[in-house]
């Protein structure tokens, strides 16, 4: 009897292990959570992983009640899903599961809803977009057939970081963005994007990443992949030999998110991080959301910028109004008033011409970029073609949020240890004149000025100059600066809907 009991216990254990290996493993929190948040102008759109009751839904931002605009589920023609699928094609992917990877992708394409667009990107030695966002199943299937597992290395952090798109609604539809990464979790990143930089971007963007861990057998979850999933609010899956690819594809494609949109009060659009409290019947959620700035930073810059003083109109218009009724009786006074008006008009015209001349002169000025390889002995002349464009940039030290700079970019904005720098960093690992921010060809660039201290943008060494965008991270010695936003005139913080795609495709 004892042997029989031992045999039964062993049989039960074998069955449990078999089921564990055969089925996909999903790590997801049963409690409702926020999957994604983005703000366009005054509208905040929130996606949650639970159904929302519109009649009892409330949203408070810093204890201020907001106006609910729309509530719905992530399905149908009134919404859009954009999924970026990253496929690890390095040689470390076990050969026994490569067919399952391809089969899972094709099944995912087959069962996807009509409102989902998928982008396919392979990564090994480099990132390659084999199919941009499309809802066409045929085009996606043709792209999958081109996948070959011949890469020699894997850079997971670079792959995720450089393929996160700008999160904006498409055709005014509520649009949910996410990434699915299929990999064995072996990261060979010796340089490039660090995990800290990726985690910061995922947190700021509220961007979910679902990971599929490809392995020969289930031993334990990959810690690096699990960390990405946990930080981003995604889900963790496993893919082993003889896995049920239909069940795995259904788990990856299942859409259970709901969304709602609210109008934010004007006084909250100040660039600060606000607490958002969401309540819908039995569910209550609380998150911190960084609210963009619309208008206020530029207005402050304009108030602080030097201006040419002109005679106040009231100094002339008031005497005119007092004397107009007596013009017929007092011709001399009438002549004096007319002379004063002519003089005022003449002075105004002169001031306008001076301003225009000043602008033309500044537009013709050429900017000198210091070559970091020759210690300033030679210079390269580059003309400025960004006339009439005023930029404002906000920089934040991610390790100390109290260190924040909101500055206009006029001519050049110096960053370094010197007292004359607009952004002064006291750490000795930073050069006296480390780098500068300039406007060139209607874009904002970071220019390295130090021949000994590196200027690193998003993990890449800036040898001369590089395009600077909202959301970028600068590393200067031991110091880090995060670009919260770059704003033009009185417009919204500058984003480029094609930037992330361009940045990815420029790598190959």
């Amino acid at each position: 009897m004892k042997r029989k009991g031992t045999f039964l216990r062993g049989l039960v254990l074998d069955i449990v292990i078999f089921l564990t290996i055969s089925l996909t493993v999903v790590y997801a929190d049963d409690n409702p959570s926020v999957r994604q948040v983005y703000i366009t102008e005054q509208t905040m759109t929130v996606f949650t992983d639970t159904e929302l009751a519109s009649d009892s839904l409330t949203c408070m931002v810093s204890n201020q009640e907001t106006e609910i605009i729309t509530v719905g589920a992530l399905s149908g023609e009134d919404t859009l899903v954009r999924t970026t699928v990253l496929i690890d094609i390095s040689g470390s992917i076990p050969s026994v599961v490569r067919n399952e990877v391809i089969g899972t992708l094709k099944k995912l394409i087959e069962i996807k809803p009509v409102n989902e667009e998928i982008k396919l990107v392979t990564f090994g030695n480099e990132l390659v977009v084999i199919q941009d966002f499309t809802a066409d199943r045929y085009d996606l299937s043709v792209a999958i057939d081109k996948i070959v597992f011949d890469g020699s290395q894997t850079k997971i952090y670079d792959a995720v970081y450089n393929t996160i798109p700008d999160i904006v609604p498409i055709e005014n539809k509520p649009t949910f963005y996410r990434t699915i990464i299929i990999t064995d979790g072996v990261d060979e990143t010796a340089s490039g994007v660090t995990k800290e930089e990726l985690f910061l971007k995922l947190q700021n963007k509220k961007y979910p990443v679902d990971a599929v861990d490809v392995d020969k057998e289930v031993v334990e979850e990959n810690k690096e992949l699990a960390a990405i999933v946990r930080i981003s609010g995604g889900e963790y899956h496993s893919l082993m030999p003889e896995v049920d690819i239909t069940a795995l594809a259904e788990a990856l494609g299942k859409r259970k998110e709901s969304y709602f949109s609210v109008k934010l009060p004007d006084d909250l659009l100040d660039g600060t991080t606000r607490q958002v409290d969401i309540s819908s019947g039995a569910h209550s959620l609380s998150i911190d959301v960084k609210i963009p700035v619309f208008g206020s930073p530029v207005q402050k810059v304009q108030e602080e910028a030097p201006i040419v003083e002109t005679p106040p109109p009231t100094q002339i218009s008031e005497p005119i109004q007092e004397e107009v009724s007596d013009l017929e009786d007092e011709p001399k006074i009438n002549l004096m008033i007319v002379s004063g008006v002519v003089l005022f008009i003449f002075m105004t015209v002169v001031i306008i011409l001076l301003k225009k001349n000043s602008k033309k002169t500044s537009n013709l000025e050429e900017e000198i970029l210091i070559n970091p390889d020759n210690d300033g002995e030679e210079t390269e002349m580059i003309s400025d073609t960004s006339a009439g464009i005023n930029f404002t940039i906000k920089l934040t030290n991610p390790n100390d949020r109290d260190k924040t700079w909101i500055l206009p970019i006029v001519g050049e904005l110096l960053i370094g240890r010197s007292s004359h720098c607009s952004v002064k960093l006291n750490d000795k690992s930073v050069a006296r004149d480390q780098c500068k921010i300039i406007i060139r060809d209607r874009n904002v660039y970071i220019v390295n000025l130090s021949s000994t201290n590196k200027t690193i943008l998003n993990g890449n060494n800036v040898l001369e100059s590089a395009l600077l965008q909202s959301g970028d991270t600068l590393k200067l010695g031991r110091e880090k600066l995060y670009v919260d936003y770059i704003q033009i005139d009185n417009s919204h913080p500058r984003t480029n809907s094609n930037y992330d795609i361009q940045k990815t495709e420029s790598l190959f």
Side-chain angles (χ1 to χ4, degrees):
M1 292 295 293
K2 186 174 181 181
R3 289 182 179 180
K4 185 176 182 180
T6 303
F7 172 78
L8 289 175
R9 284 196 299 271
L11 179 62
V12 171
L13 181 60
D14 289 341
I15 293 173
V16 171
I17 293 174
F18 174 77
L19 291 175
T20 302
I21 294 176
S22 300
L23 299 177
T24 182
V25 181
V26 180
Y27 298 93
D29 196 345
D30 292 333
N31 297 322
S33 62
V34 172
R35 294 272 282 166
Q36 195 164 84
V37 180
Y38 57 78
I39 300 172
T40 53
E41 297 185 353
Q42 284 188 259
T43 301
M44 179 173 69
T45 303
V46 180
F47 294 89
T48 71
D49 59 1
T50 186
E51 186 176 353
L52 301 171
S54 57
D55 55 346
S56 59
L57 178 65
T58 61
C59 180
M60 306 285 288
V61 181
S62 292
N63 295 323
Q64 293 192 43
E65 189 169 355
T66 59
E67 175 188 349
I68 306 292
I69 301 174
T70 56
V71 181
L74 194 60
S75 60
E77 297 181 356
D78 59 336
T79 60
L80 184 64
V81 179
R82 280 201 155 188
T83 301
T84 300
V85 180
L86 299 175
I87 307 105
D88 187 347
I89 59 169
S90 63
S92 62
I93 300 296
S95 58
V96 293
V97 295
R98 293 178 183 178
N99 289 335
E100 278 78 7
V101 170
I102 299 300
T104 300
L105 289 172
K106 289 195 171 183
K107 197 66 181 180
L108 181 66
I109 301 306
E110 179 185 333
I111 67 174
K112 80 172 189 65
V114 295
N115 70 327
E116 182 174 22
E117 295 180 356
I118 293 179
K119 178 178 181 178
L120 298 173
V121 183
T122 60
F123 66 101
N125 303 350
E126 58 184 5
L127 288 171
V128 178
V129 179
I130 60 175
Q131 176 59 58
D132 209 343
F133 285 114
T134 182
D136 191 290
R137 291 186 174 89
Y138 175 78
D139 290 344
L140 291 166
S141 296
V142 170
I144 291 173
D145 290 335
K146 299 177 183 177
I147 296 175
V148 178
F149 296 89
D150 58 356
S152 61
Q153 61 179 340
T154 304
K155 293 186 177 182
I156 296 174
Y157 302 132
D158 283 59
V160 176
Y161 187 98
N162 290 324
T163 55
I164 295 178
D166 283 334
I167 302 177
V168 293
I170 306 297
E171 298 177 353
N172 294 322
K173 295 180 180 180
T175 307
F176 179 75
Y177 295 81
R178 63 166 182 158
T179 284
I180 297 174
I181 182 169
I182 303 176
T183 179
D184 60 355
V186 178
D187 189 283
E188 298 164 326
T189 303
S191 62
V193 176
T194 65
K195 69 170 66 176
E196 292 79 14
E197 290 170 332
L198 174 60
F199 291 170
L200 182 62
K201 188 168 185 176
L202 292 174
Q203 286 177 321
N204 289 338
K205 290 249 182 196
K206 296 289 188 297
Y207 186 88
V209 177
D210 298 337
V212 178
D213 185 3
V214 178
D215 204 349
K216 294 180 181 179
E217 56 185 9
V218 174
V219 180
E220 59 182 8
E221 68 179 27
N222 182 280
K223 293 182 180 179
E224 305 298 333
L225 290 179
I228 294 175
V229 168
R230 185 170 58 254
I231 291 293
S232 69
E235 295 182 345
Y236 190 102
H237 306 264
S238 292
L239 191 159
M240 288 76 60
E242 300 179 1
V243 70
D244 185 345
I245 59 175
T246 300
L248 176 57
E250 288 176 349
L252 290 170
K254 186 178 180 181
R255 296 270 57 82
K256 56 185 178 180
E257 289 86 5
S258 297
Y259 76 92
F260 68 89
S261 298
V262 301
K263 183 178 180 181
L264 296 172
D266 293 337
D267 59 337
L268 296 182
L269 306 175
D270 57 1
T272 58
T273 298
R274 302 279 185 168
Q275 179 174 320
V276 177
D277 297 305
I278 305 163
S279 178
S280 175
H283 301 301
S284 295
L285 303 172
S286 182
I287 58 170
D288 290 333
V289 178
K290 185 173 180 59
I291 310 294
V293 180
F294 295 105
S296 56
V298 174
Q299 291 170 3
K300 291 180 180 179
V301 171
Q302 290 175 343
E303 292 171 1
E304 297 171 358
I307 59 174
V308 179
E309 295 184 0
T310 59
T314 54
Q315 295 179 1
I316 296 177
S317 61
E318 288 180 0
I320 291 176
Q321 293 174 358
E322 292 175 0
E323 302 295 341
V324 163
S325 61
D326 299 325
L327 286 179
E328 295 180 358
D329 299 328
E330 300 183 30
K332 292 183 179 180
I333 296 177
N334 182 41
L335 181 60
M336 292 175 61
I337 293 172
V338 173
S339 301
V341 171
V342 172
L343 179 61
F344 172 72
I345 294 173
F346 175 77
M347 292 177 64
T348 303
V349 171
V350 170
I351 291 171
I352 292 173
L353 291 175
L354 287 174
K355 285 185 176 180
K356 287 185 177 180
N357 185 58
S358 175
K359 287 184 179 179
K360 289 180 180 179
T361 302
S362 62
N363 292 341
L364 294 175
E365 289 179 355
E366 295 181 316
E367 180 156 359
I368 301 176
L369 296 182
I370 298 178
N371 187 339
D373 296 325
N374 59 13
D375 297 326
E377 294 178 0
E378 298 179 1
T379 59
E380 180 182 359
M381 307 300 291
I382 299 178
S383 60
D384 184 3
T385 60
S386 305
I389 300 180
N390 299 319
F391 286 85
T392 299
I393 189 170
K394 180 177 180 181
L395 300 170
T396 304
N397 184 335
N399 299 321
D400 187 355
R401 289 291 175 176
D402 292 334
K403 293 182 180 179
T404 300
W405 296 265
I406 301 177
L407 299 167
I409 306 175
V410 180
E412 61 183 32
L413 194 155
L414 285 173
I415 302 176
R417 211 170 69 245
S418 297
S419 58
H420 63 262
C421 290
S422 301
V423 178
K424 185 181 178 182
L425 305 174
N426 294 323
D427 197 289
K428 292 184 178 180
S429 63
V430 180
R432 294 180 60 81
D433 290 341
Q434 177 68 44
C435 59
K436 65 180 179 180
I437 297 173
I438 64 169
I439 304 171
R440 187 202 311 155
D441 298 331
R442 304 175 65 87
N443 286 298
V444 178
Y445 285 82
I446 185 75
V447 180
N448 179 49
L449 300 178
S450 175
S451 59
T452 55
N453 298 49
K454 291 183 179 180
T455 298
I456 298 175
L457 174 64
N458 299 329
N460 298 315
N461 189 19
V462 179
L463 299 179
E464 292 183 358
S465 64
L467 183 67
L468 194 64
Q469 294 277 348
S470 300
D472 285 346
T473 300
L474 289 169
K475 187 174 182 182
L476 316 169
R478 289 185 292 268
E479 293 281 359
K480 282 188 179 180
L481 292 176
Y482 181 73
V483 182
D484 289 274
Y485 61 78
I486 297 174
Q487 184 167 293
I488 307 176
D489 292 328
N490 290 320
S491 65
H492 309 324
R494 187 180 188 199
T495 58
N496 181 348
S497 60
N498 296 321
Y499 170 66
D500 284 321
I501 294 175
Q502 292 171 352
K503 184 175 181 181
T504 301
E505 295 179 343
S506 67
L507 296 176
F508 33 86

